[in-house]
């Protein structure tokens, strides 16, 4: 489940510091930020297992929640694009649209669809689960 432009495992970089060297200490930094330009670090580590499970279960679409500037929305949209999943982002802030900022524009360009919701509704996600687990899943639109 790793496309060719991913750098897995992420590299270790030896940091040079006179104080550490004097004490005989080698200090390495694991550069997870270099895993991928759009799905790096902890975002890749969190998404990877969900992508594997979704593929195993035959799901074709991913649904996620986030704010308008969310790195998670950005990374999920990219992951969906690169791994062949449709994506839907439930975005906090019904005053927004897909051109509101660079994050949402990028996610839109990667194919993510959006539902913009009022902030109070976003906080109580129960009604989203009812809608998506019932209507969309059973209709076959979101499996």
């Amino acid at each position: 489940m790793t496309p060719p432009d991913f750098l897995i495992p992420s590299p270790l970089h030896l940091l040079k510091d006179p104080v550490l060297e004097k004490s005989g200490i080698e200090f390495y930094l694991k550069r997870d930020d270099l895993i991928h330009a759009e799905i790096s670090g902890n975002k890749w580590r969190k998404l990877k297992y969900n992508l594997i499970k979704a593929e195993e279960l035959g799901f074709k679409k991913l649904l996620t929640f986030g704010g308008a500037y969310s790195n998670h929305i950005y990374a999920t949209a990219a992951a969906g694009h690169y791994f062949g999943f449709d994506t839907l982002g439930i975005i906090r802030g019904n005053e927004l649209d897909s051109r509101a900022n660079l994050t949402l524009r990028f996610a839109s360009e990667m194919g993510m669809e959006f539902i913009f919701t009022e902030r109070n509704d976003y906080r109580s996600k129960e009604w989203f689960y009812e809608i998506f687990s019932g209507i969309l899943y059973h209709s076959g639109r979101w499996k």
Side-chain angles (χ1 to χ4, degrees):
M1 162 114 343
T2 305
D5 59 340
F6 275 59
L7 186 57
I8 302 287
S10 55
L12 290 174
H13 287 197
L14 176 61
L15 297 179
K16 299 282 186 177
D17 180 90
V19 173
L20 295 175
E21 289 174 3
K22 184 178 178 184
S23 300
I25 296 172
E26 290 185 343
F27 186 80
Y28 289 87
L29 180 65
K30 187 160 179 62
R31 295 291 309 273
D32 281 356
D33 59 311
L34 299 176
I35 289 174
H36 189 270
E38 296 154 346
I39 316 167
S40 66
N42 71 325
K43 297 303 176 216
W44 168 248
R45 302 223 183 272
K46 290 177 183 179
L47 283 169
K48 176 172 85 171
Y49 299 104
N50 288 307
L51 295 169
I52 291 168
K53 191 59 144 178
E55 188 176 66
E56 285 174 3
L57 295 173
F59 291 163
K60 296 174 180 38
K61 300 177 182 167
L62 306 173
L63 174 132
T64 194
F65 294 82
Y69 295 91
S70 167
N71 290 331
H72 177 71
I73 292 293
Y74 189 99
T76 301
H81 174 78
Y82 294 121
F83 292 101
F85 291 97
D86 293 332
T87 54
L88 175 64
I90 309 298
I91 308 297
R92 181 180 58 248
N94 64 334
E95 72 281 3
L96 302 167
D97 65 30
S98 63
R99 299 165 312 227
N101 62 49
L102 292 174
T103 298
L104 295 180
R105 281 196 295 269
F106 173 82
S108 179
E109 289 168 7
M110 291 287 108
M112 182 175 272
E113 296 177 57
F114 301 108
I115 294 176
F116 297 93
T117 183
E118 293 183 20
R119 294 169 193 281
N120 285 337
D121 290 337
Y122 182 88
R123 283 186 201 101
S124 94
K125 295 180 176 81
E126 287 79 18
W127 72 278
F128 286 113
Y129 297 127
E130 291 174 19
I131 290 171
F132 289 106
S133 65
I135 296 169
L136 292 178
Y137 182 80
H138 294 298
S139 72
R141 286 183 52 208
W142 280 86
K143 181 181 182 215

